[in-house]
Amino acid sequence: MNRDTIIEVRDLCNRFGRNVVHEHLDLDLYRGEIMGVVGGSGTGKSVLLRSIVGLKRPSAGEVKFFGQNLLTLDAGARARLEQRMGVLFQGGALFSSLTVRENVALPLIEHAGLSRKDAEELAEVKLALSGLASHAGDLYPASLSGGMVKRAALARALALDPDVVFLDEPTAGLDPIGAAAFDQLLLTLQKALGLTVFMVTHDLDSLWTACDRIAVLSQKRVLVADTPERVAAYDDEWIQNYFNGPRGRAAYSAVQGN
């Protein structure tokens, strides 16, 4: 089967002083898939995400987005390419002094050149897509519940109609009902908008429910990247403990309807 590769990570290395987080890391992200990225503490899941979206320059290696190396592009070309990415950061990272509507409208004003009126009207559409009620646009981040913060941050990530959305622990801090609702929203949006999704998560329910493939970070590289079933069967102690321990079995059984 031919696969359209959107992102290619090759021979990536990330060092912090003498601490080597990634070394000779390779990873592909295919168009239209939802990829979950997991790994033990210190394996650099968020560091990998930040390296791909251009927020951290790796120590070595290359990151190609639609065949273009982000690390060698000039500022203008890189900015245009980065507009094809949307990012939901841990904790939402919303501007506390702006309303939810203003948070979502901001990239439309800054990057798409829309007037404030047009940007805020389009922001309302993005908020509706993310499952927020119309009145939520008038609220400030401090007034939002955890689930509403995630949805508002997702609406902002979708503001510029990106090809790829990066999610950093999107269900962290949510109760099981809220996390399940977010997973279903993600699946709905992925199908409706044709999104490609790169999701750092430790949520076993999300991995089994939403992901087409799972990449496991271990030993400073991607140990395996495959379907959830094949990853769960991979002969590695950490993977077996993670996917086939009591919580992993419960999450799998829930998805299977057992």
Side-chain angles (χ1 to χ4, degrees), residues 1 15 25 37 44 76 94 126-127 141 156 213 221 240 250:
M1 181 177 66
R15 298 187 187 94
L25 185 152
V37 178
L94 298 172
K126 303 298 181 181
L127 290 169
R156 187 177 63 183
R213 287 196 304 146
R221 60 187 176 89
Q240 289 303 307

Side-chain angles (χ1 to χ4, degrees), residues 29-230:
L29 182 67
Y30 304 126
R31 182 186 296 276
E33 75 172 343
I34 299 178
M35 171 178 277
V37 178
V38 301
S41 178
T43 54
K45 301 179 291 294
S46 294
V47 173
L48 176 60
L49 184 153
R50 292 171 65 85
S51 297
I52 293 174
V53 303
L55 293 174
K56 182 195 181 304
R57 188 173 186 87
S59 305
E62 64 179 21
V63 177
K64 287 186 177 179
F65 190 53
F66 286 105
Q68 300 184 70
N69 190 342
L70 281 174
L71 304 178
T72 60
L73 293 175
D74 62 56
R78 180 169 171 169
R80 288 189 295 272
L81 206 56
E82 288 175 346
Q83 288 179 34
R84 302 176 71 178
M85 309 177 192
V87 185
L88 188 160
F89 296 100
Q90 285 191 47
L94 298 172
F95 293 105
S96 60
S97 60
L98 301 180
T99 66
V100 168
R101 184 184 301 104
E102 290 168 340
N103 265 281
V104 179
L106 187 60
L108 292 163
I109 295 169
E110 290 193 344
H111 300 295
L114 297 186
S115 67
R116 177 167 179 166
K117 178 177 181 296
D118 289 343
E120 293 195 355
E121 287 180 357
L122 189 52
E124 290 285 357
V125 174
K126 303 298 181 181
L127 290 169
L129 277 174
S130 299
L132 284 172
S134 57
H135 75 275
D138 297 319
L139 302 176
Y140 287 88
S143 302
L144 303 180
S145 67
M148 292 174 73
V149 167
K150 301 288 188 180
R151 289 171 184 260
L154 179 61
R156 187 177 63 183
L158 296 173
L160 295 173
D161 297 325
D163 295 286
V164 185
V165 176
F166 295 85
L167 310 176
D168 195 355
E169 298 285 5
T171 59
L174 300 184
D175 62 71
I177 294 174
F182 190 94
D183 289 340
Q184 292 304 315
L185 172 65
L186 181 60
L187 284 168
T188 299
L189 291 175
Q190 188 271 334
K191 291 174 183 176
L193 304 178
L195 293 175
T196 302
V197 180
F198 179 104
M199 176 170 63
V200 172
T201 185
H202 67 276
D203 191 326
L204 284 156
D205 291 314
S206 296
L207 291 167
W208 282 115
T209 299
C211 293
D212 299 295
R213 287 196 304 146
I214 298 171
V216 179
L217 299 189
S218 180
Q219 302 166 35
K220 304 175 185 177
R221 60 187 176 89
V222 175
L223 182 63
V224 59
D226 212 326
T227 63
E229 291 79 9
R230 289 176 178 172

